[in-house]
Amino acid sequence: MNHKHIAVSDEMLQRLTLLGLTPTFTKINEIYNPRDGSQIGWAGVDVDDPTPSFIEGQSTYAAVTQYLADTNNVEEQDVFWRVVKKEQKEGRVSYTLCDEGAAFDLAQPMFVYIHNVEIVRLYGDFDNKSKWLDDVLIDMRTDIDEYAAFQNKEFYSVTLSPIEENPCMAGMIFDTGFHFFNAVGVVDDAIREVIAEVGSWMKHRASNTVGYKANVENNGGRGSMMDEMVFMDEKVAIGVRNIYGIQPVIGNLEITLGANEKSHQESFSISLNLLPKFSTVVNNNQDILKVMHTELVRLMGEQVGSDKRDPYLMLLEAVLSEDYEDWSSMLTRSFVYALFSTAEGDDDYKIEHVRKPITTLAELQADKDHIQQAAISSLVDIMGDFKTLRDELAAAKSAKAFVDRFQAGLADPNDIIYLYDEHRKEINDYAKQVTNEKGCETLTFFTFKELADKFNCNLDDAAIGLYEPFPTGLQTSDQDPYFDIRRAVANIAINTAMERLYDECA
């Protein structure tokens, strides 16, 4: 969509380009009046606030004072107010918040105001005007801009998609489902929400994602760091674009401030699935193959054992491949290293992790603790097959959604009995581990208390149900007085494992 009338800042558009993303704005027909529920009154617009009237020769200050006394029964010093002026151009309405002392437009006199008690409630202070003035003015401008957007029927959603499409992820778009008015600041905030969704996707759900980290030196103090630091991801993005003619999608940007206020750490992720195919990269600059070959030789030198492939053959297969998911982790590491190190010319970069697609149950269970392995096996048993589980992980938007969907899919509430009977040792070990690691003053204590309250028992009984060995064989509440507590503990353990599973593998 043409950005001509969209209130997105030039800085945000530039940022999106650096991140490798392009926005698409879609108009939403179902619209609400943003004046409903606003804490800022608007004389001359709101239904319950009629247009101010003038006596001949009366000043704006006197008219506001009289208006507030007549309509709100308050004195002028009890509110903070500003004059608003209306304009209409090219069929669109706009409003301007005027500076202090501005006179009314006599044809359409109006002003916005907020009571002092609301300033204290919303901003925590009133006596020190410097602490709240800028925030109040921003909120007033947002209010009048959103109302102008309402009148212009400019209510949108925004999606972000890669500037360049990869065959692996054709048509990939990111969307929070958030709708917003076309107002200064509001549009940028909505885009930031979707940028965060891109980062979350890379961190939790995307396959073929590489995490990168670097140390960044800053000569200013901590307070000026955000203004003075040249962000690593921006430098890399510009370098990659200039050298290879492609635009990587960068997400999950994080900054860790150093203790000495000068040495900071920055990290970000890229997903190879959002890059154009490798042959395009090579065609734009074949020198990347030389750097990759050198890095492959170095990585192979660190590899233990004799199972080493010819790096030239690996590079040939990479050029012929249309799908980065076919690559090994070693080839992926050499590619990202070559891409970033040549673009930036800095050896401080370190690859934190390489996330590859999980294709087997064994891969999913690798390096997981016993309770998590038990949860995975149980999920596969209940869902039917590993592919269904993997699809559920990819489709869920949060750990809670994943767990809720699993619980809703249980064929029988007593399936949880099957889970804890199958894995009672792992669940028991988990409960003991929680007790040892967290201590009774934290997680375990609150688990005891929750169980005691739920089953109307004392903390000792809850503790027995939490971590004493399970009886042999499938039990019932008639055979085991702690049966319901054990089932609840199993539920907590399995759900916790599934949430962790989602965070690590989704």
Side-chain angles (χ1 to χ4, degrees), residues 2 31 38 40 49 69 77 109 157 211 287 371 479 483 485:
N2 191 320
I31 191 170
S38 175
I40 297 173
D49 285 358
Q77 61 264 31
S157 66
D287 287 344
I371 184 63
Q479 298 169 311
F483 172 82
I485 295 177

Side-chain angles (χ1 to χ4, degrees), residues 198-212 249 251-252 268-274 324-325 329 332-333 336 351-357 506:
V198 176
S200 177
W201 177 79
M202 286 190 182
K203 185 174 183 179
H204 296 301
R205 298 191 292 281
S207 63
N208 249 0
T209 295
V210 180
Y212 232 55
V249 177
N252 196 36
F268 64 87
S269 300
I270 70 164
S271 173
L272 272 63
N273 287 346
L274 299 181
Y324 291 103
E325 292 192 351
S329 293
T332 299
R333 282 178 177 272
V336 176
I351 295 178
E352 288 186 284
H353 67 267
V354 177
R355 184 198 296 272
K356 297 295 292 180

